[in-house]
Amino acid sequence: MKRAKWLFASVVVAVAVLIVGMNPTGAQAKGANRTVTFSQLTNKNPHRLAAIRQAARQQILKQKKAKGSRVKAVYQVKLPKNMAKKATLTPAGLRMNLLANSFKVKQITIPYAQLKGKILNKYLPKANRTHTVKTNKMVALTFDDGPDPTLTPRLLKTLKKYHVHATFFEVGQSVSRYPKISRAVLAGGNELGNHSWNHPDFDSIGTSKTFDQITRTNRAIYQATGTLPQYVRPPYGNITAAEGRAIEQPIIRWSVDSRDWAYLNTQKDINEIMRDTRGGDIVLMHDIHAQSVAAVPTIIKRLKAKGYHLVTVSQLLNSQALPGLQYFGAHDYRRAGK
């Protein structure tokens, strides 16, 4: 009888240990690891796998505390494209083994926060999972062609005053001239995106030169801020499918074009945006025109009066934008080149 009780108690303890080692939220308990394939992590979605590669590049640079001069080299590191390859879920993040590379990094662990919206929710801790958001009262303001040494700081003061965050798509050659302003953009809680090195039409320069434009700007932004930009906005909105595949970053377009560059008229900018903007829209403006920056306070106040929440692109898209796809609004996306 005593032996039966002892066996029963042993089974209970073993089951308890097993339960403790399993985390029902999907996160890995301390000391517990789980091997998974990229097919499982992404549900066989190549765009999700490209997002993992994007996060891996950032992690390699961070782990090596690499200088900006090494950004181009990180795109030469061979990262997984085969869905059958495996990685490990650990308490700290997704651990990946790397092939021999110039960084001499054999293994990286990508924090789960960097994989939010990129891998399936069930493989993420609760704190890093995406949840359904209502976008009918959300609008993302975006500003192209900066940073400008005078106007961008003025705009940042306006955003801070009204407790609003926006997304800035910056030109690499300007970032290299005014890195402190790019840092200030991020310090204010805003987002930075890549808007090419010197604003060419990608359709006219081809895939190779387009890739160089993007990587050169990524280098400038990384040099200025210590982080790679997540998004790309192609000048004039032009990008081919091949360029989208090569870039391996989500492409952000717009659903409301203020055409502020054409008007250079503050009241006209206000009228155009207030007439056309609806919930879920991405609004295109520029922070290199004084008239546009002057219009922003009134635009913010009027949109707020209508009940709109002004958010970053990441917030509007619920952190689920993926490489190879282009996004026009909260619920409007398609493959690059279409």
Side-chain angles (χ1 to χ4, degrees), residues 2-59:
K2 288 183 178 180
R3 178 175 176 78
K5 289 182 178 180
W6 179 85
L7 286 172
F8 176 77
S10 298
V11 170
V12 170
V13 169
V15 170
V17 169
L18 180 61
I19 291 174
V20 170
M22 296 171 61
N23 190 324
T25 68
Q28 297 300 298
K30 186 175 182 180
N33 293 324
R34 178 183 174 189
T35 300
V36 290
T37 65
F38 289 106
S39 177
Q40 292 173 305
L41 290 171
T42 66
N43 195 28
K44 301 180 180 180
N45 185 327
H47 301 291
R48 288 185 183 272
L49 185 53
I52 295 174
R53 292 195 293 270
Q54 182 186 17
R57 295 184 186 102
Q58 175 67 67
Q59 189 59 31

Side-chain angles (χ1 to χ4, degrees), residues 172-173 175-176 179 197 215-225:
Q173 63 181 6
V175 175
S176 67
W197 177 256
T215 54
R216 192 176 181 186
T217 301
N218 281 348
R219 171 182 172 175
I221 292 175
Y222 177 84
Q223 184 75 47
T225 67

